[in-house]
Amino acid sequence: YPEAVLDACRRWIGERRETPLGADTESSGLDPFHHRMRLGQLGDMRHGWAFPPEWFGAFRELLQRYAGLILWHNSPYDQRVIWNNLGFMTPWDRTEDTLLLGHIADSLRLAGLKPRATQEVDSRALRGGQVLSEGMRAQHWTWETVPDDWAPYWQYAALDPVLACHLWNLPSFRRAREYNRYAYDLERATARICTNMMLAGMRIDVPFVERHIAEISDYTHRAAGWLRAEFEIGNPNSNAQVIRAMNAAGVPTIVYTEKGNPCLSKEALKFYKTAFPQHGGLFDAVQWCRKGDKLVGSYLQKFLDLRGPDDVMHYSIHSCRARTTRMSITDPPMQTFDRDVAAVRGSYVPWPGNALITIDADQIEARLAAHFSMDPNMIAEFRRCDELKLKFFIEMASKIYSETISKKDPRYTWTKNATYAQIYGSGLEKAAVTAGVPVETMRPAYMGLATLYPNVKRLMDRLINANKGQRPRVQTIDGRWLYTYRGKEYALLNTLIQGSAATILKQDLIALDAAGLGPFLRLPVHDEFLLEAPQEYARDVLREAEKILTDRENFAVPITWSGDVLTDRWVKT
């Protein structure tokens, strides 16, 4: 009987079909490095097969022998699952991905396979998952313990490649791969490189992490006790308690949210500390109590929990999840960490004999604002700063305030933040709240962009006016359309810039990989790439990377990169 079933599957897999062969995996959890593979699945638009562990040899044989296209939904995840459990991956040149296609087809639609299929294929697509969840709750099963021969489980799993094939066959998905093939191939190539980076991972300095967990936890505990004893603040996360203590100490409430509520953001606390230095201890203690638990729970302890053999941590890089197609990182959430906290970056160290190489795109969002707006003064200023090796935002702040501004001057930070706030679509009031300063303090820096470089505001107005009465969208440099929500047309300029920056960074990853630097790539964070190479070659790798990435020909202003070699650990440069 088993041989007959396998023979039937072999005959089926050899049939002609209107889509690639669908494939998927089920695991005991979401971490390909810590959770075991439970099922492998194959399917097309009419048939689905689920392979339990005793059939993994057949699953591997069928996938490896199949000569056609193989379709996954989120291929980097499943490729890591089968690599870690079965020791192989499907060829990337024959790997297709409906998650990537779906984002190109419509950047605002849900990304998950079953939710997307429920919206666009069949409203019953989620029903199997509901039946499975109800049964698992009743039997107290987890994803680790649910029997693989329980019908609702394997049927739920076998449906996944079927749904992926139906998505592939939708007209919107067909248009995405036929009329914007460049964007799709860009995402497929990026997915491959990101998978290799995730498989490589990075080494964690465990004693360093453990020491900082102890220090931060101890400081947070003592700071909370001091706030309780000195200011009767029982909960530092309570704005009401902190405001009451501030006012009692003689500090007036100055910074408010857009809705008129007192604001105690990180930036607002920094403002209060600057304005009332005699109470700096209060604001330092509140800020550290608020972020101490997050630093430990979201980052440092996660580093220890997620590390594998040899203290290597394998994060998750999502190459095409954000609405703007920007890459993001989870487990741990490296996109949201505080760059000024040395304990987070410093936890990453190179292998003995190696060095880390950090390289950043210089002001890429502001440079793209100059490119798309074609503001002659902004373009000229970027070129002048590049030629004379000056800092654009220092020069901009000095012009706004008619005096020489240094990087340590808060007006430099206000100018930089106000510029990006307008690119992101924020008004003056929100920019002031974000910076933690009164509106009148922020006003000169905010108005400086429109005064010095008026074409940026004109470009935003043109984008908003061009999208009136229709679904708001912009077309990025790789030809894809990115959407924003009705009523949020102010986000169109940011969508254009962020989407185009994402394209540039993905093109750059591919260029580095094509030049032979792929094995050195480790992590993309914001506008920064992190690499690791033998110390004797690190400077050469950095020079080559800067040469490859810097683009002085294709934009109105140069897109420049600069970096450094770090022999000890990852630090802010």
Side-chain angles (χ1 to χ4, degrees), residues 27-77:
S27 300
S28 58
L30 297 177
D31 186 339
F33 295 91
H34 289 84
H35 297 123
R36 67 185 179 96
M37 180 175 167
R38 297 289 316 276
L39 295 173
Q41 303 102 265
L42 299 174
D44 57 20
M45 293 182 68
R46 297 171 183 82
H47 307 87
W49 302 75
F51 297 75
E54 61 268 25
W55 286 75
F56 282 173
F59 178 71
R60 173 175 179 160
E61 172 200 318
L62 293 170
L63 270 180
Q64 288 186 309
R65 288 188 177 184
Y66 191 73
L69 299 177
I70 299 173
L71 176 65
W72 307 87
H73 189 87
N74 192 8
S75 55
Y77 174 81

Side-chain angles (χ1 to χ4, degrees), residues 493-506:
L493 176 58
N494 182 51
T495 302
L496 172 64
I497 289 174
Q498 298 291 348
S500 296
T503 294
I504 292 171
L505 266 65
K506 291 171 184 179

Side-chain angles (χ1 to χ4, degrees), residues 356-372:
L356 298 178
I357 303 163
T358 177
I359 183 166
D360 278 274
D362 302 318
Q363 310 101 19
I364 189 171
E365 292 157 353
R367 289 173 185 266
L368 287 177
H371 169 76
F372 287 118

Side-chain angles (χ1 to χ4, degrees), residues 299-573:
Y299 298 102
L300 299 179
Q301 188 58 51
K302 259 191 183 306
F303 293 171
L304 300 182
D305 295 341
L306 293 172
R307 78 186 194 275
D310 299 319
D311 295 327
V312 173
M313 191 184 69
H314 302 276
Y315 27 74
S316 295
I317 304 172
H318 308 278
S319 62
C320 190
R321 171 182 281 187
R323 177 179 59 83
T324 60
T325 79
R326 278 285 208 170
M327 289 181 282
S328 60
I329 301 165
T330 59
D331 301 317
M334 296 300 291
Q335 299 298 121
T336 58
F337 74 107
D338 190 335
R339 297 181 64 177
D340 293 324
V341 179
V344 176
R345 286 186 173 227
S347 299
Y348 292 87
V349 292
W351 286 95
N354 282 0
L356 298 178
I357 303 163
T358 177
I359 183 166
D360 278 274
D362 302 318
Q363 310 101 19
I364 189 171
E365 292 157 353
R367 289 173 185 266
L368 287 177
H371 169 76
F372 287 118
S373 69
M374 292 305 293
D375 187 289
N377 294 331
M378 196 174 190
I379 292 171
E381 184 65 3
F382 265 118
R383 290 177 174 171
R384 184 181 76 88
C385 288
D386 286 347
E387 181 180 353
L388 300 178
K389 300 188 183 306
L390 302 173
K391 299 295 185 182
F392 173 80
F393 284 112
I394 290 178
E395 296 301 299
M396 182 177 175
S398 298
K399 288 182 178 180
I400 291 172
Y401 293 100
S402 300
E403 61 179 282
T404 301
I405 300 293
S406 72
K407 196 169 184 178
K408 294 182 178 180
D409 191 312
R411 291 174 293 180
Y412 158 78
T413 303
W414 298 341
T415 299
K416 184 177 179 180
N417 291 349
T419 299
Y420 285 126
Q422 291 174 79
I423 291 173
Y424 301 155
S426 298
L428 171 59
E429 291 76 13
K430 186 172 183 179
V433 169
T434 301
V437 298
V439 168
E440 290 309 312
T441 301
M442 177 59 73
R443 188 181 298 278
Y446 188 89
M447 299 306 296
L449 179 65
T451 301
L452 295 174
Y453 313 121
N455 278 10
V456 177
K457 177 65 165 58
R458 291 169 187 158
L459 172 59
M460 177 177 283
D461 292 340
R462 286 200 304 274
L463 291 172
I464 292 173
N465 291 331
N467 280 275
K468 286 182 177 179
Q470 65 180 37
R471 191 179 180 204
R473 65 177 188 171
V474 291
Q475 191 171 27
T476 63
I477 59 173
D478 65 355
R480 80 179 77 189
W481 290 99
L482 295 180
Y483 296 88
T484 191
Y485 297 101
R486 292 182 184 273
K488 294 189 175 182
E489 288 80 3
Y490 60 82
L492 285 168
L493 176 58
N494 182 51
T495 302
L496 172 64
I497 289 174
Q498 298 291 348
S500 296
T503 294
I504 292 171
L505 266 65
K506 291 171 184 179
Q507 291 171 334
D508 287 339
L509 275 181
I510 295 167
L512 291 173
D513 184 69
L517 302 183
F520 302 140
L521 289 168
R522 291 296 179 267
L523 195 65
V525 181
H526 299 299
D527 302 326
E528 177 182 6
F529 293 150
L530 195 65
L531 300 87
E532 181 176 357
Q535 289 188 18
E536 59 266 33
Y537 305 131
R539 289 289 171 189
D540 293 333
V541 170
L542 175 59
R543 281 192 293 270
E544 186 66 14
E546 288 177 339
K547 178 180 176 182
I548 292 169
L549 298 177
T550 296
D551 185 344
R552 301 185 182 278
E553 298 178 0
N554 295 307
F555 297 91
V557 296
I559 305 297
T560 61
W561 290 71
S562 56
D564 202 356
V565 172
L566 313 171
T567 57
D568 183 29
R569 61 185 70 249
W570 189 19
V571 296
K572 182 179 178 181
T573 58

